[in-house]
Amino acid sequence: VTVAVTPTVGLADERVDTRVAGLGPGQPVTLRAVVSDERGCLFQSCAHYRADGRGELHLGTDASHGGDYTGVEPMGLFWSLAPAGMERPYQRLVPRSTGTPMKVEMLVHRGHSQPGAIHGPVMAKVEVERWFTAPGVRRIRLKEGGVRGSLFLPPGDGPFPGVIDMYGDEGGLIEFRSSLLATRGFAALSLPYFDFEDLPKVMKEFKLEYFEEAARFLQRHPKVKGPGVGVIGTGKGAELALSMITFLPEVVAAVCISGCSSNTVADLHYGEMTLPGLRFDMNKVSVSDTGVFDTFEALDDPTNPANSPCTIPIEKAEGHFLLVVGEDDRMWKSSLYAELAIGRLRQHGKENFALLSYPGAGHRIDPPSTPFCQVAVDRVLGVPVLGGGESKAHAHAQEHSWGKIQEFLHLHLG
């Protein structure tokens, strides 16, 4: 029995082609993927297949009949990876370092075995390397004035379209999306804004001047195409992206993934102006029998007139918006917030936006094949929080949106 994965060494946002040969006609097998992250935590997934009349199997055309997913899903074993039974649950498989590949072992086991059960004998296996940077991409650590982070530059002379990349309230420096963007031809600045080096430890208040300095640094970089730069953000990062394109002329395109159209949690200052932050009411958080926190109803209502000072006046923006939401986001009401943003733009006669709204997708829509994580331990609260979504729909949203995000950024940044 042989298992072949093509390419065995490739980029993490690309599909692979998986084929098994040498089985008996109709033979039942369990395919399994196993990977350990940088901290040694083990993640695994499995799916049930049957060989065709020739004793062969192709994940691009043959359906899984059970395990962690069903149907024809060429990348199912990757996006359904989850912490193994002996590990702490609700952990995310996110690369901490972009310079080393994620090594995934693909195994073919005899017979059908359930997730978490003892699997049958191994009949064939292969190791696959998933890289987050292409050869020639340069990573430059930044300490430029007050700005911190990493700048990823594609190979070649450029100039390249420039994009600032920000994540949400987990803080710190998250680089894997930036490195993939650089692999796809963008000069990408991974921008932390708290809990990193000498930046503030917690989200207490923010000064837009920090983000302005980052935008100006990127815009003036010799490898960056002008005249304007783009920004992509998830969660709190999406909301900061809305503020940046609204107030900073350097920013001409904003991709907002699962964001809010009002400023939240921390007050945002810019010169004499302050946008107060909408607050979370912890009394409106519900906790399931299994101890999972649901924050869906907890954020103050942005449509309440009393909260209008928190609204980001996005109608002032000259640039273009791409709003990306999962309709089953349980972290907060990102579908509603996107509707409010679009309503506000239309009210002012603006059509400078596009919306990607995905049924069945949850909160954190990442690059393709990033493992789906319906519940994740919140870094600030230290408890499992419901992100929502259903694995297959979420995986398809990640794959579709990634292409659309790159198209949008190329269109508006050249």
Side-chain angles (χ1 to χ4, degrees):
V1 177
T2 60
V3 56
V5 179
T6 323
T8 45
V9 177
L11 291 164
D13 61 351
E14 286 179 352
R15 281 189 172 197
V16 296
D17 185 76
T18 307
R19 295 171 188 265
V20 182
L23 298 167
Q27 183 173 353
V29 288
T30 298
L31 262 65
R32 205 163 140 249
V34 181
V35 60
S36 64
D37 70 8
E38 285 103 324
R39 295 165 306 182
C41 173
L42 194 69
F43 291 77
Q44 58 183 11
S45 59
C46 76
H48 301 160
Y49 289 92
R50 280 188 187 278
D52 64 14
R54 297 189 304 276
E56 293 175 1
L57 189 55
H58 178 212
L59 266 57
T61 52
D62 294 325
S64 161
H65 304 291
D68 290 318
Y69 62 90
T70 57
V72 178
E73 293 293 338
M75 297 303 292
L77 288 168
F78 292 87
W79 55 247
S80 64
L81 282 162
M86 73 288 249
E87 300 288 357
R88 282 202 344 267
Y90 312 135
Q91 296 189 72
R92 249 186 228 292
L93 180 55
V94 175
R96 302 268 181 268
S97 124
T98 55
T100 51
M102 189 180 280
K103 294 182 177 179
V104 185
E105 192 170 38
M106 308 280 275
L107 305 110
V108 182
H109 294 267
R110 192 185 302 280
H112 286 167
S113 44
Q114 293 307 319
I118 305 275
H119 296 279
V122 176
M123 304 165 81
K125 63 180 179 179
V126 65
E127 188 177 77
V128 182
E129 288 188 6
R130 306 280 285 167
W131 284 85
F132 290 87
T133 39
V137 168
R138 288 197 310 156
R139 173 181 180 265
I140 302 156
R141 279 302 302 278
L142 282 194
K143 264 201 167 170
E144 195 67 38
V147 177
R148 303 290 172 261
S150 300
L151 177 64
F152 290 87
L153 294 173
D157 294 334
F160 309 103
V163 181
I164 292 171
D165 177 25
M166 300 179 294
Y167 270 93
D169 61 6
E170 60 269 61
L173 178 64
I174 300 174
E175 298 177 313
F176 74 101
R177 185 165 61 193
S178 304
S179 64
L180 285 171
L181 283 168
T183 295
R184 300 286 165 220
F186 296 92
L189 168 55
S190 185
L191 185 70
Y193 48 93
F194 76 104
D195 195 29
F196 181 72
E197 291 183 353
D198 55 358
L199 295 175
K201 269 280 164 257
V202 292
M203 287 202 300
K204 201 158 155 208
E205 56 179 358
F206 292 120
K207 289 187 164 62
L208 199 62
E209 283 82 356
Y210 172 78
F211 302 92
E212 182 174 51
E213 197 183 338
R216 285 180 178 167
F217 163 79
L218 189 62
Q219 184 195 33
R220 290 171 185 162
H221 195 282
K223 289 273 177 119
V224 173
K225 244 186 212 178
V229 298
V231 57
I232 177 171
T234 298
K236 178 68 188 175
E239 176 197 305
L240 287 163
L242 289 178
S243 293
M244 288 169 75
I245 194 172
T246 297
F247 297 110
L248 308 180
E250 296 83 2
V251 179
V252 298
V255 178
C256 304
I257 302 170
S258 309
C260 183
S261 45
S262 292
N263 186 51
T264 67
V265 183
D267 293 356
L268 181 68
H269 306 286
Y270 186 46
E272 300 293 298
M273 181 210 74
T274 296
L275 282 183
L278 284 181
R279 302 298 179 204
F280 275 96
D281 181 352
M282 294 313 281
N283 295 321
K284 290 185 180 165
V285 175
S286 60
V287 185
S288 74
D289 298 342
T290 53
V292 173
F293 284 59
D294 185 341
T295 58
F296 188 66
E297 297 289 349
L299 187 67
D300 286 349
D301 179 5
T303 63
N304 180 339
N307 293 324
S308 62
C310 305
T311 306
I312 302 165
I314 55 173
E315 68 280 0
K316 293 182 177 172
E318 293 297 320
H320 290 262
F321 300 88
L322 178 63
L323 307 170
V324 183
V325 295
E327 293 174 19
D328 193 30
D329 183 350
R330 294 295 305 177
M331 196 75 80
W332 60 9
K333 301 175 182 180
S334 53
S335 286
L336 168 68
Y337 305 150
E339 276 173 37
L340 293 175
I342 288 167
R344 192 172 178 95
L345 291 169
R346 284 204 165 127
Q347 206 181 328
H348 290 84
K350 297 221 162 182
E351 290 291 332
N352 55 340
F353 63 87
L355 171 68
L356 297 174
S357 186
Y358 295 103
H363 180 70
R364 193 163 145 164
I365 297 171
D366 273 326
S369 303
T370 302
F372 171 68
C373 197
Q374 190 182 47
V375 176
V377 174
D378 184 89
R379 197 198 61 83
V380 182
L381 301 173
V383 296
V385 174
L386 184 61
E390 178 276 314
S391 59
K392 192 185 291 195
H394 191 90
H396 293 178
Q398 291 192 145
E399 188 159 357
H400 182 264
S401 63
W402 186 236
K404 291 293 182 192
I405 286 166
Q406 292 174 65
E407 278 173 30
F408 170 84
L409 291 170
H410 277 302
L411 177 65
H412 297 295
L413 302 175

